[in-house]
Amino acid sequence: YLCKRRDETRGRGDFTFEVIVVDDGSTDGTKDVAARYARKYSGDVVRCLQLRRNCGKGAAVRRGALASRGKFVLFADADGATRFSDVDRLEDAMRSLGGEGVVAGSRAHLQSSAAVARRNALRNFLMHGFHALVRFVAGVRNVKDTQCGFKLFSRDAARMLFENCRLRRWAFDVELFYLAKRLSLPVKEVSVTWNEIPGSKVRMSGIASIALELFTCVVAYSFGIWQIHV
């Protein structure tokens, strides 16, 4: 998609891109796959950043976002659950914000779908419980789906948010929106095409740690333990 778009716009806008793969201490050969693509497309187009040990998804995304060089920063999960060409929708929404802020890809429109209906009662209970925590503990009410791994940031928004982001694991998305609210950054949510990928979900055991991270986040910022730097 990116190469095709670059070729189609050459000479009239000069669309450029880079792909940053962050290897969060993996043992599945991720860095080798990234290295092959870097050789194919050049190291300036595809870069692989390696964390020495597993630090968590939040830490990996933060590392990649702060190393990026573009006018806009897209963070996308590597499982390919979201159709990549939907970045066009996010860019349209970003333009409606004047080119500054955060656009969140969203699966909220799927919540009444058959996929949700097939989930067991416990998973649906935990899902609604998490949403309640996000709304009433973290105070994030303007985004229905904080966890979709497809988000677009303007350069300045990415710098402010990721330089301040402390959470290193699954709840970091919520912290980003919490920070956006505190920093008065505009946020817009856009529906994206999404397919459920086997094995790419947070485990039940992770829900408790996410809740703990959210409470830690709110308490630390509220009492000035964590400072927000602009």
Side-chain angles (χ1 to χ4, degrees), residues 112-177:
S112 60
S113 69
V116 174
R118 287 195 299 269
R119 291 175 181 165
N120 62 47
L122 177 59
R123 179 171 290 279
N124 280 322
F125 172 77
L126 291 173
M127 178 186 71
H128 291 300
F130 173 76
H131 290 165
L133 285 173
V134 170
R135 288 175 61 83
F136 299 111
V137 176
V140 177
R141 297 183 172 87
N142 60 334
V143 179
K144 295 179 180 178
D145 181 9
T146 58
Q147 303 309 107
C148 181
F150 204 68
K151 298 180 177 70
L152 184 67
F153 305 83
S154 62
R155 161 58 51 200
D156 288 342
R159 178 189 59 78
M160 286 190 283
L161 293 174
F162 285 102
E163 284 183 352
N164 283 290
C165 188
R166 270 87 167 187
L167 296 182
R168 298 163 67 90
R169 298 198 178 274
W170 294 105
F172 83 97
D173 300 82
V174 182
E175 184 187 9
L176 291 176
F177 291 117

Side-chain angles (χ1 to χ4, degrees), residues 1-12:
Y1 168 82
L2 292 173
C3 290
K4 180 181 178 182
R5 180 171 168 183
R6 178 193 59 195
D7 294 342
E8 288 177 345
T9 59
R10 186 166 285 147
R12 49 185 180 86

Side-chain angles (χ1 to χ4, degrees), residues 89-225:
R89 300 183 187 180
L90 273 61
E91 287 179 293
D92 288 342
M94 181 65 75
R95 280 190 283 271
S96 75
L97 295 177
E100 293 292 339
V102 184
V103 179
S106 176
R107 304 158 296 180
H109 61 293
L110 301 173
Q111 291 305 310
S112 60
S113 69
V116 174
R118 287 195 299 269
R119 291 175 181 165
N120 62 47
L122 177 59
R123 179 171 290 279
N124 280 322
F125 172 77
L126 291 173
M127 178 186 71
H128 291 300
F130 173 76
H131 290 165
L133 285 173
V134 170
R135 288 175 61 83
F136 299 111
V137 176
V140 177
R141 297 183 172 87
N142 60 334
V143 179
K144 295 179 180 178
D145 181 9
T146 58
Q147 303 309 107
C148 181
F150 204 68
K151 298 180 177 70
L152 184 67
F153 305 83
S154 62
R155 161 58 51 200
D156 288 342
R159 178 189 59 78
M160 286 190 283
L161 293 174
F162 285 102
E163 284 183 352
N164 283 290
C165 188
R166 270 87 167 187
L167 296 182
R168 298 163 67 90
R169 298 198 178 274
W170 294 105
F172 83 97
D173 300 82
V174 182
E175 184 187 9
L176 291 176
F177 291 117
Y178 178 86
L179 287 167
K181 180 181 177 182
R182 293 282 299 268
L183 292 165
S184 299
L185 293 172
V187 175
K188 193 165 186 176
E189 190 171 16
V190 177
S191 298
V192 293
T193 306
W194 183 82
N195 296 292
E196 188 156 344
I197 304 298
S200 63
K201 299 182 287 293
V202 179
R203 294 186 179 89
M204 297 290 187
S205 59
I207 300 296
S209 65
I210 290 175
L212 179 60
E213 283 187 342
L214 289 182
F215 280 109
T216 300
C217 172
V218 174
V219 170
Y221 283 119
S222 297
F223 288 91
I225 301 169

